[in-house]
Amino acid sequence: VIIQAPMAGSQGSALAIAVCKAGGVGSLPCAMLSLEAMRAEILAIQAATDRPYNVNFFCHALENLRPPMVSFHFGLPSPELVDRIKKMGAQILSTATTVEEARWLEARGVDRIIAQGVEAGGHRGMFLTDDVTTQLGTMALLPRIIDAVRVPVIAAGGIADARGVKAARALGAAGVQVGTAYLSCIEATTSAVHRAALAAPHHTALTNIITGRPGRGIVNRVMRELGPIRADVPSSRAPRSLWRRCAQRRRSWAKVISRRCGPGRTSARTRTCRPPRSPARSRQSN
Amino acid sequence: VIIQAPMAGSQGSALAIAVCKAGGVGSLPCAMLSLEAMRAEILAIQAATDRPYNVNFFCHALENLRPPMVSFHFGLPSPELVDRIKKMGAQILSTATTVEEARWLEARGVDRIIAQGVEAGGHRGMFLTDDVTTQLGTMALLPRIIDAVRVPVIAAGGIADARGVKAARALGAAGVQVGTAYLSCIEATTSAVHRAALAAPHHTALTNIITGRPGRGIVNRVMRELGPIRADVPSSRAPRSLWRRCAQRRRSWAKVISRRCGPGRTSARTRTCRPPRSPARSRQSN
């Protein structure tokens, strides 16, 4: 299965629908959506496709829209909420960036674990550690997590085309999550300045100075001048309020923050939205 | 082909010979050897096996021992020396950590390029940049380098067992280089303190405070207390003199420096030295 990585600020239901229609699992990022906007977006997906889709939260609540999959970043919400989501019949996915995080998630009933290698664009999902030196590349992280848990593991980070899908399967992944390759699709809401940066040669780095939490983005002036990783950034509570403000002042922030990017190839098709071809038959997720 | 990564300070000819006999390509690291010691070690390999082997230099000269492969780290020696080695009939390998370095090496006649993902243990082979944020994981780096050059590319970094070999091949690698998995072999000269650290749960990080150049090693007290990466380390010329002194005062240094390690599994066999089984028939390198 190929899951389109949820990318708050760069996409809405249109990309998720296009991915579902192309045979993948489209994701709707809800971090920057009001409850009403989220509801409208999910209804749009449900109206457009019968394929499984995924809704993603940093750590939010969910209404009774019965999505087939719900994914989280930065751990999990309260056990009561996890229970309610499971009782709705949804599969729960969450991100692990270390073996310890994978074990923690499995112990709390997650149905699938997304092993996020350090190549991945966007926020690191790390939640049991603040130490970025613990963050391994996909080639090393994925087999370690697969060996440590029993639930299926989805590979994320550095997977940009069919070769990466095949490699992830060779390492034992049950599926892959792909983000950057989708950023240039016409169905994505990626800003013009972000698209231009993706199309030009670029260099990505982990940084914590944009939102307070480490994430990979295209190196820009603020990262170069302040240094990509600093100890004196605001506490890890900052991101949520930042993202909230961001949802209100989106235009002015777009230039600064919405350049998330993995190191993936930038030759992603901009006309048709299609996930990287899987070398083997792609299996329906359910 | 599976190449055993040269690991100065942790091995001599014994490990290289054992790897050759098991069907891989053994490597002899020469960075810490006097010319006489190097000569004796190469003669020992030649006496013990007819299989191809590799001698590795940071950037040294080579005598007329006609090794089948010569690999370099940190770029290449002078064009005259590269020419002389090629005229001896040896294949030249060198390490690229970025697409730019791979193109640079290909333009200078390297026969194979080792794409060193950031998961790799030991020194980063980086030579066109000092910026560690340019260092990508194997999953992202390998296909980018393969797309950028015509010579065969060997994958290094995070490859610890047959799954990693298979994944590297799926990404297009002509072979793999494996280091950490060999550190625990009885034929390796890995110190007792290093073996104990490898056998216990451990955490690796990139650091430049040990030799002045960035490399991955097991996190120890000096890395924790000084911070793994510092801007105020001695210049990049330091490592060579450090290594030279190290060759003389090896015992006293062992505890501090020779804990190189990738994030690979630590369950490497300590009784028999055997490279990870290749999923496909392993091809003879020549």
Side-chain angles (χ1 to χ4, degrees), chain B:
Chain B
V1 58
I2 295 175
I3 302 176
Q4 165 245 318
M7 299 176 288
S10 295
Q11 60 140 141
S13 58
L15 182 65
I17 290 166
V19 170
C20 286
K21 289 188 168 169
V25 174
S27 293
L28 181 71
C30 299
M32 291 163 61
L33 299 180
S34 66
L35 277 178
E36 264 149 64
M38 179 187 81
R39 192 177 170 79
E41 289 282 68
I42 292 177
L43 289 173
I45 296 172
Q46 289 176 346
T49 179
D50 290 332
R51 297 264 316 163
Y53 63 94
N54 170 46
V55 293
N56 171 263
F57 298 87
F58 280 3
C59 256
H60 282 111
L62 183 70
E63 287 193 277
N64 250 339
L65 290 156
R66 300 196 161 270
M69 291 183 215
V70 178
S71 69
F72 294 95
H73 218 52
F74 308 137
L76 287 171
S78 70
E80 295 72 33
L81 195 54
V82 168
D83 245 25
R84 272 168 57 196
I85 296 167
K86 286 175 94 76
K87 279 183 186 138
M88 276 166 38
Q91 285 213 346
I92 297 186
L93 288 72
S94 189
T95 303
T97 69
T98 62
V99 167
E100 292 68 34
E101 289 177 349
R103 290 203 179 110
W104 190 97
L105 292 172
E106 184 182 44
R108 280 150 191 84
V110 161
D111 296 294
R112 304 191 205 186
I113 288 169
I114 299 161
Q116 189 192 29
V118 76
E119 297 93 333
H123 277 119
R124 304 294 310 150
M126 53 205 290
F127 60 94
L128 293 184
T129 177
D130 287 329
D131 178 359
V132 293
T133 71
T134 60
Q135 305 293 289
L136 296 176
T138 302
M139 187 74 91
L141 179 68
L142 182 57
R144 291 183 132 198
I145 287 185
I146 287 169
D147 288 345
V149 299
R150 293 179 179 205
V151 296
V153 178
I154 309 290
I159 300 166
D161 59 22
R163 291 174 292 184
V165 176
K166 205 173 152 194
R169 293 173 76 102
L171 291 169
V176 298
Q177 183 169 280
V178 173
T180 303
Y182 288 111
L183 278 177
S184 309
C185 291
I186 47 167
E187 294 89 349
T189 58
T190 312
S191 67
V193 65
H194 194 175
R195 284 177 193 270
L198 286 164
H202 58 270
H203 156 204
T204 69
L206 282 192
T207 183
N208 66 348
I209 61 168
I210 305 295
T211 69
R213 293 212 196 216
R216 181 174 296 279
I218 297 175
V219 173
N220 58 15
R221 193 176 139 206
V222 67
M223 283 159 69
R224 266 193 305 272
E225 291 186 3
L226 296 180
I229 297 280
R230 294 178 68 104
D232 57 354
V233 294
S235 83
S236 61
R237 293 225 163 259
R240 277 217 239 167
S241 57
L242 258 182
W243 281 104
R244 219 172 279 135
R245 262 183 292 151
C246 172
Q248 286 147 16
R249 290 193 277 163
R250 194 149 145 204
R251 274 170 205 284
S252 55
W253 271 89
K255 274 194 201 160
V256 185
I257 75 163
S258 70
R259 290 209 196 171
R260 117 196 46 216
C261 178
R265 288 165 64 205
T266 56
S267 60
R269 302 163 194 84
T270 53
R271 287 168 183 284
T272 60
C273 176
R274 202 178 297 161
R277 271 161 301 166
S278 170
R281 200 169 314 165
S282 115
R283 281 169 303 181
Q284 180 96 4
S285 64
N286 67 344

Side-chain angles (χ1 to χ4, degrees), chain A residues 132-189:
Chain A
V132 292
T133 73
T134 60
Q135 305 292 289
L136 296 175
T138 302
M139 187 73 90
L141 179 68
L142 181 58
R144 292 184 131 197
I145 288 184
I146 287 169
D147 288 345
V149 299
R150 294 179 177 205
V151 296
V153 179
I154 309 289
I159 300 166
D161 58 24
R163 291 174 292 184
V165 176
K166 207 173 149 195
R169 293 173 76 102
L171 291 168
V176 298
Q177 183 169 279
V178 173
T180 303
Y182 287 111
L183 278 178
S184 309
C185 291
I186 47 168
E187 295 88 349
T189 58

Side-chain angles (χ1 to χ4, degrees), chain A residues 26-109:
Chain A
S27 293
L28 181 71
C30 299
M32 290 162 64
L33 299 179
S34 67
L35 277 178
E36 262 150 63
M38 179 188 81
R39 193 178 169 80
E41 289 282 67
I42 293 177
L43 289 173
I45 296 173
Q46 289 177 346
T49 178
D50 290 332
R51 298 263 316 162
Y53 62 94
N54 171 47
V55 293
N56 171 264
F57 299 86
F58 280 2
C59 257
H60 282 111
L62 182 71
E63 286 195 278
N64 251 338
L65 291 157
R66 301 195 160 271
M69 292 182 216
V70 178
S71 68
F72 294 96
H73 217 51
F74 309 135
L76 286 171
S78 69
E80 296 70 35
L81 195 53
V82 168
D83 246 26
R84 271 170 57 196
I85 296 168
K86 287 175 94 75
K87 279 184 185 137
M88 275 165 40
Q91 285 213 345
I92 297 187
L93 287 73
S94 189
T95 303
T97 68
T98 63
V99 167
E100 292 66 35
E101 289 177 351
R103 289 202 180 108
W104 189 97
L105 291 172
E106 184 182 44
R108 279 152 190 83

